[in-house]
Amino acid sequence: MDPINFVILASILFAIGAAAVLLRRNAIIAFMGVELMLNAANLALVAFSRMHGEIDGQIMAFFVLTVAAAEVVVGLGIIIAVFRARQTISLDEPAELKG
Amino acid sequence: MSFTTPEIAWAPLTPLLIVLGASAVAILVESFVRSPETRRRTQLVLSLVALVGAAGAAVVQWATLDGAGTVVLDGMLTVDRQSLAWQVLILVFGTLGTLLFASRTRAGEEAFTPLGASAPGSSDETLARRKGLQVTEVFPLALVAVGGMMLFTSVTDLIFLFVALEVFSLPLYVLVALARRRRFLSHEGALKYFLLGAFSSAILLFGAAFLYGATGSTSYAGVAAGISSSTGTDALILAGAVMVVVGLLFKIGAVPFHSWTPDAYQGAPTPVTAFMGAATKAAATAALLRVMYAALYGLNWELSWLFWVVAIASMLLGTVVALVQTELKRMLAYSSIAHAGFILVAFAGLPDTALSALPFYLASYGLATMGAFAVITQVRERSDEGTVLGEATRLGQWAGLGKRSPWLAGAMALFLLSFAGIPLTAGFVGKFVAFSAAISSGAWPLVLVAVIASAAAAFFYVRLIVLMFLTDVPEGQEDAIEIDYSPLARTVVAVTAVLVLLLGIVPGPVLSAFENAGVLLLGAGG
Amino acid sequence: MFPILTVMVALPALGAVLLWALPGGARARAREVALAVTAIELVLAVVLFAQFDMSAAGSFQFSETYAWIPQIGTSWALGVNGIGLLMIVLSALLTPLAILAGWWEDKDDSRRTHYLALILLSEAFMIGIFAARDVFLFYVLFEAMLIPLYFLIGSFGGAQRRYAAVKFLLYSLAGGLIMLVGVVALYFQGPGGDQAFLTDNLTGLDMSTTAERLIFLAFFLAFAIKAPMVPVHTWLPTVAENARPGTTALLVAVLDKIGTFGMLTLCVALFPEAAHWAAPVIILFAVISVIYGALLAIGQKDMLRLVAFTSVSHFGIMVLGIFAFTQTSVEGAAFYMFNHGLSTGALFFVVGFLIHRYGTADVTQYGGLQRVVPVLAGTFLVIGLSALALPGLSPFVSEIMVLVGAFSAAKVAVIVSAVGVVLAALYVLLTYQKVFTGPAPTGKRAKVRELTRRERIVLWPLIALMLLLGFLPGIAIDAVREPAHDIVATVSSQEAGA
Amino acid sequence: MLDLTWLLIAVPLASAAFLLLAGKRADRWGHWVGVGASSAAFVVGLVALIQMLGLDSEDRAHAVHLFTWIPGGELNLDAGLLVDPLSMTFVMLVTFVGTLIHVYSVAYMEHDASRRRFFAYLNLFVAAMLLLVLADSYLLLFVGWEGVGLASYLLIGFWNHKPEYATAANKAFVVNRIGDIGLILAMGLMFTYFGALDFGSVFAAVPQASTAQLTAIGLMLLVAACGKSAQFPLQSWLGDAMAGPTPVSALIHAATMVTAGVYLIVRSAPIFEGAPAAQTTVAAIGAFTLILGALIGMAKDDIKKALAASTMSQIGYMMLAAGLGPVGYAFAIFHLVTHGFFKAGMFLGAGSVMHGMNDQVDMRRFGALRTAMVTTWVTFGLGWLAILGVPPFSGFWSKDKIIEAAFIGDDVQPWILGGAALIGAGLTAFYMSRLFFMTFHGKARWTDEQHPHESPALMTVPMIILAVGSAFLGLILATGDRFVTWLEPVTGHAEHGEPVLPAAVIMVATLLLVALGAWIAWRKYGAADVPETAPAASLATIAARNDMFQDSVNRGVFERPGTHLTRTLVYADAALVDGAVDATAHAFARTGEVTRKTQNGQVRSYALTMVVGLVIVILVVVQGGL
């Protein structure tokens, strides 16, 4: 299978992730969209790594996974704090900061 | 497959290692020192020692730098005068920020909530406060952020760029959420900042992946080589480059990637706003500089219009929206968007001089920002019963501040004038060198827009000065404002004010230092 | 050599610091301190004038050059030619008078101290600007001066003073920042190096025509705003109406001269080709200013606004003289800069005294004062006559030099400007008529105080000086003849080359 | 003594300054200082005159260098005096008549609280007038020119507590300034063409100049002269100027200042010689004004305004003469001198009448005053005879010559100019006789409070002296063409052309017309009853009473449009120019208000902004790059 297909797939995944951020009101789902975008990048990295016939890209994917994990921790922490304060995780609700 | 131990030049990494090491120690302190008071003091001392020590180490590095600099970690990091200059700058902001973090002295008057995870007004929080709990995790968080930023200024590898970005961003997201007062706003700001930040990191990463795919390398040098060797222009390269640049523009706060700025600035605890406003912009500018000069220089022509458009949009939007703000922190946030535009003005055309102009610009901007927010921490509202509340950030509340506290108001005026670029302040010299850089690359129309924006921007800076000095305290509002007196915050105000003046009147030494820093090791162009 | 110019810049600045440093109790003496400082400054100015070598008035004298920010090519370079000398003398002369004129303005010691300190600071900046031999230094002082002025206007004065201050600042900044683009661009045209901004190093540059013209325009716009030319004049009436007469006197009499001074010493000297190129349009606007300013002056009820508009008209004459580029017209314009300072300064002072008595600047509130206060009336009339350039008073000599001198270069412009002569008579005499003639006032208004001794000390020396220079204008013309010659020569060499 | 002529200016000037600065303590005796200064000037002038008479006629032009005035690079001008027969004539006229009027004023202004100030202004006037005539350059002349304007302004508005007097003063100054534009532009032209402003250099350069250049200069000088000498179309101020105290009207607005225009034209003879068109215009203006003034004079009931109209008309004669070239210069000045005497005398007479009649000026309330004030009647009568041109009184000698000269020339010009001068003589006779008869003859039409009485000696003595001058000066100076010869070094020798009619015919015709005019006046105003209020009159009379509607014209053409223009501009400046600035500021603010709406607080829309921005950027970059 041509690795370029994986790149295309990665792009589609990236777009889906972005769409999730744009469309979903639920903070967790939106956040998952971001994670999907990161993983799309991972897929692209791995695919390119394969195309170039070296492992740099794959190593990088590990870095990204680690960082993404840290991001999840922080992100969920914030979302939980918001939930505790407001009893909701709708992204549209906290909109006092504007203008 | 043989395994070679990587050669690591440790010495050039000393400043970075000091900060990151200290942050590790700080986390241990956080875990093992029980008494809140002792813990706070230990953390503060540790942070300051680490930051000042790191700055000292960076200066030593600067002095003993071998030739143009050193490539460390197999090309992942480059330590040259440029990166050292930025590191020193970030360490200065870090030190000042740390002082501000620790500034609230009155018992229970700190800016941060003692229990970040608890709901505002919940019994947990009340209990925590009654127990005298004090938040101390801000210190390690700040140390990590500083370390990440320092890294950010020195990386020469796209993946490492992403890692560094996350290293300094994640603690900031948390810091933004920790305001003790106006928790809802704080949470909201943090959530927005986090979500958009993560979003932009993903974009940056995806762009990095594209560049890797197109050039087969993630190191800047490799990317640059790949760009110059690619015949024609590869869509993958262009898309990747744009995405990387956009990720960095997000951190700088340039239009249309600016939306987080006002909300995060306003929601965050003011000391965090100060630190974030000054340091993030500097770190992101440094990273953008290096990416553009070391990796994407070959795309100069293709990308320059992007800088033009984004610069103009940032200057205009930042200025016009700041004109109509009535919330002080928000106004400064929009002002920072306009300043992002000015930064990009120097960028357009990628002149050599930008490498020395921008550090100076960010130094002047950052110092004024730190100073201005430090002043804001000192102006507090008071309820009808006389209890001191949070910062008074509505513009109207600053009426007559010049009478209440001439020195504080004077310092604020100085910072505002520096923002506006009035001569004899650092901001003027900063604008001058930035505009010089732009004009040297022929971008004078951009400079013309910049000066028009500056003139319009002067209006809202001046409006605050009018309020402070030329307007009387409103009738019956004499007791509505409490001027805090915190030695640490005052120190920050004094130091930044003196530096803003010094850099405005005798900027020579600093200018020549940055001139030395204006050469990149491994620059692809220039 | 004794660095007299640096001392003259530093002295008022230190005076300002001293005033601010005065403890609360000593602030009652702030006026005396300020007056002493400015008096010493005036003495220094007189020394400067006496020591100045008139036979070499075209070259910079008392030059001092110290490195300041070599990294960006600027130095603390001071020096004066004849024109700068006159302007410095004017600044040093009017500042103590402004202090005297406002002697009783403030009841509150602390406020007064602030006011005086700001005045002193402004003086330091003015003298620095007139002595600057470095474009960057000039620019820095030019812009930084806005701050004390801003506070002078915004803190002390009439009801709308804040609005006026902001308007002033934004107007000036808009011009100044565009000039900044020109300053930076000029740097890249110049030789660079440690002294890249020294005017000597920037004179006679070989620039592309387009660059020269654009930079010229950037400079010119800033100066046109400062020396308010139509249509960028509207800040001046607002400021005049709302600021203190003393402040406005300094502002219009001295500070606005920076506009024409800059046109002469920077715009024309550094960009002769562009100046020559732009002259027709500039002259057009100058003439419009002459007539427009005069007509608007006639239409004003507020005396301060009126005087402001007369200045718009007069600045038009100066600009006409400068850009006609004849020896006589340039001499006249430079001399007019000095005379207009005396005349308008006195006019603002005397209007201020009237307002002090009546509490209003509305001319319709006055009437018949000549019967009550003949000395004030006479003094006002003489000052008013100086504004309409009556022969015998020095403004006449300069105005006629401009008109007669510019005639060969710009006939139509002079003919139209000459109409301003009639309009000047109207605005001066109508004002005099409204304030001083008619039935003597009755009741409370009949008890108006005659010109006091302090007020005479403010006004009469100015009148005496105008009379002296009206008959012996050579004292001042000697100083401007050579600079004017150099300027005309520079421009006409362009003409020959073109 | 010729070198000390600067004293002529310095003494009255110093006296003026002294009187102004001396303050109240000089109130009691200050006026004598003024009289003294004026007399001193007269003495200096007289000594200088005697000295000059001792010189050969070609040596009589004497230059006095005073000081370096303007040391410009190109405009180098010394302040200097030119003492020659022409200026000396004026010096004598000004100082002699001036001194008499000073003396007269001591009594006339006796009850005025500001008498000291009045004398200061009079001295100032004398100084400025002498500077005007003695100056050796156009620029210095201009100083005197404006100086007399200022003195005139101050004196017309001397009683400016009456608002209309203040307005009259302003009007005089402003109309004069319109004339000044002419002088300024003339100087501009001279400097452009000749590079100099002093008489010597300018006249030396004249032969090289083109006719067009000289015509331009000449016309500009004429504009100046029209302003100062109240010639059409700048005549409107003179009538109003009668608001000043009567001695002022006598000195400034009859004898001296208003004739400065004539002086300017005669002084600039070399320029006009090269500019025939300008010269003709001068003559035409003079002719027109002399008729205009006469017509106005016929309808005025205010004694001072009638005299003012007469002055205008008489200066018209002088202008006419000056416009005839060398033939007329001497006669212009001659008439100027005699007119100075008889008109000043009549004004003083009018002042004396007003003095005796509680400041009444309406001639319809006079009548039969000859019995009440004999001296005034006699002196005024001599002036009347002089202005009518009855031989052998002064006016005959000067005016008759002008009429004769006006008939010299080619084509229709002599017929028009001469005809105008001739008709003017008749009209003059009518209106002056009307004035004389209405005032001194007929029935008394006084009101009950008026008790006419003769004025004190301080007033009558000057009147007598002037009357003597009115009677005999013309005869003395005309004998043997004395005056013409005296002026010849300045005006040049004129070859007498032949008039188109024989001189005798002209003279007889003139005298007949004069007699006719006087006779009609006697029938209507001497023998018949004069109604105490002006009767309804024809349109022409109404026009004349209203100064030919000159004020209405000025108001309609200049004042109203000017006021409207000013108001419009004031509005436009606020609404448009300043409004544009404010509008810019508002536009910024409104843009801000609109733009801030994009920051709607919704994090998802922020992300959308980013994505849209990113997509657009990628598309453009990739499209542009490919």
Side-chain angles (χ1 to χ4, degrees), chain B residues 18 63 67 89 187 205 214-215 232 255 260 264 296 311 333 358 365 467 472 479 483:
Chain B
I18 292 175
L89 214 54
H187 283 158
L205 181 67
T215 62
V255 177
W260 63 276
L296 304 178
L358 282 175
Y365 172 75
L467 273 173
D472 291 329
D479 295 329
I483 303 298

Side-chain angles (χ1 to χ4, degrees), chain B residues 192 196 199-200 203 233 235 238 242-243 246 250 256-259 262-263 305-306 317 320-321 323-325 330 334 456, chain D residues 585 588-589 591-593 595-596 598-599 601-603 606-607 609-611 613-614 616-618 620-622 624-626:
Chain B
K192 287 176 175 173
L196 295 174
F199 193 63
S200 75
I203 293 172
T233 322
L238 287 172
V242 167
M243 289 166 97
V246 163
F250 173 86
F257 317 107
H258 65 286
S259 313
D263 296 0
W305 78 271
L306 168 63
L317 184 138
V320 293
V321 183
L323 282 175
V324 294
Q325 294 302 321
R330 221 172 161 74
Y334 280 105
Chain D
F588 268 105
T591 318
E593 286 294 348
T595 317
R596 74 185 294 181
T598 61
Q599 188 79 11
Q602 303 285 341
V603 68
Y606 296 176
T609 319
M610 283 174 64
V611 169
L614 175 68
I616 292 175
V617 170
I618 289 182
V620 174
V621 169
V622 173
L626 289 178

Side-chain angles (χ1 to χ4, degrees), chain C residues 359-442:
Chain C
T360 173
D362 182 355
V363 78
T364 57
Q365 302 289 309
Y366 290 79
L369 283 183
Q370 194 207 28
R371 305 282 133 187
V372 191
V373 282
V375 178
L376 177 57
T379 308
F380 184 96
L381 185 62
V382 175
I383 294 169
L385 292 172
S386 77
L388 62 76
L390 190 86
L393 296 161
S394 54
F396 162 73
V397 180
S398 43
E399 185 172 305
I400 205 83
M401 284 175 85
V402 169
L403 292 178
V404 168
F407 195 85
S408 60
K411 288 194 181 52
V412 180
V414 172
I415 291 170
V416 179
S417 300
V419 176
V421 168
V422 178
L423 299 177
L426 276 171
Y427 59 66
V428 170
L429 296 183
L430 286 176
T431 311
Y432 182 81
Q433 182 181 1
K434 285 177 193 150
V435 176
F436 291 101
T437 73
T442 51

Side-chain angles (χ1 to χ4, degrees), chain D residues 144-409:
Chain D
W145 187 267
E146 291 266 289
V148 293
L150 170 66
S152 157
Y153 163 80
L154 292 169
L155 287 164
I156 295 171
F158 191 74
W159 289 319
N160 60 22
H161 48 96
K162 292 187 186 166
E164 64 272 21
Y165 286 13
T167 307
N170 280 359
K171 186 173 172 185
F173 197 92
V174 170
V175 176
N176 265 295
R177 278 236 139 187
I178 296 175
D180 293 348
I181 294 180
L183 197 46
I184 291 174
L185 294 181
M187 287 192 280
L189 287 161
M190 289 175 204
F191 187 66
T192 303
Y193 298 141
F194 313 139
L197 295 176
D198 59 299
F199 295 146
S201 312
V202 169
F203 298 155
V206 161
Q208 282 84 49
S210 75
T211 311
Q213 291 172 346
L214 294 177
T215 307
I217 297 174
L219 289 177
M220 286 300 113
L221 290 173
L222 175 61
V223 171
C226 284
K228 193 104 303 183
S229 293
Q231 298 295 289
F232 180 81
L234 300 177
Q235 79 287 9
S236 66
W237 63 275
L238 186 60
D240 293 359
M242 295 303 128
T246 308
V248 172
S249 310
L251 177 61
I252 301 184
H253 304 118
T256 56
M257 183 190 86
V258 285
T259 59
V262 180
Y263 169 79
L264 182 68
I265 304 282
V266 174
R267 178 57 86 193
S268 308
I271 292 171
F272 282 97
E273 284 309 295
Q279 219 164 22
T280 312
T281 315
V282 173
I285 295 269
F288 185 80
T289 312
L290 85 85
I291 299 288
L292 183 74
L295 290 176
I296 294 172
M298 285 161 65
K300 288 285 180 188
D301 291 331
D302 178 323
I303 186 170
K304 286 184 71 181
K305 294 210 167 167
L307 284 172
S310 156
T311 304
M312 208 170 108
S313 171
Q314 294 299 310
I315 296 172
Y317 271 107
M318 302 171 209
M319 276 294 186
L320 169 59
L324 295 174
V327 189
Y329 292 145
F331 301 133
I333 301 298
F334 190 14
H335 192 56
L336 191 156
V337 172
T338 55
H339 174 260
F341 275 78
F342 60 67
K343 186 55 69 57
M346 285 195 282
F347 260 115
L348 294 190
S352 173
V353 168
M354 286 160 63
H355 191 75
M357 297 286 286
N358 294 352
D359 287 333
Q360 176 63 269
V361 288
D362 186 354
M363 295 191 289
R364 293 186 183 277
R365 310 300 300 188
F366 293 163
L369 285 175
R370 67 180 183 281
T371 47
M373 20 183 46
V374 179
T375 319
T376 308
W377 175 57
V378 173
T379 54
F380 202 103
L382 286 170
W384 168 63
L385 290 170
I387 195 172
L388 256 57
V390 175
F393 300 103
S394 290
F396 168 74
W397 303 103
S398 50
K399 194 159 79 178
D400 195 59
K401 287 291 187 191
I402 293 178
I403 298 172
E404 191 186 314
F407 274 104
I408 300 173

Side-chain angles (χ1 to χ4, degrees), chain B residues 328 331-332 368 372 411-422 460-462 464-465 468:
Chain B
L328 191 47
M331 185 188 96
L332 290 178
M412 188 68 180
L414 178 68
F415 300 134
L416 292 169
L417 292 175
S418 182
F419 284 139
I422 301 290
F460 56 81
Y461 298 127
V462 165
L464 185 55
I465 298 181
M468 291 190 300

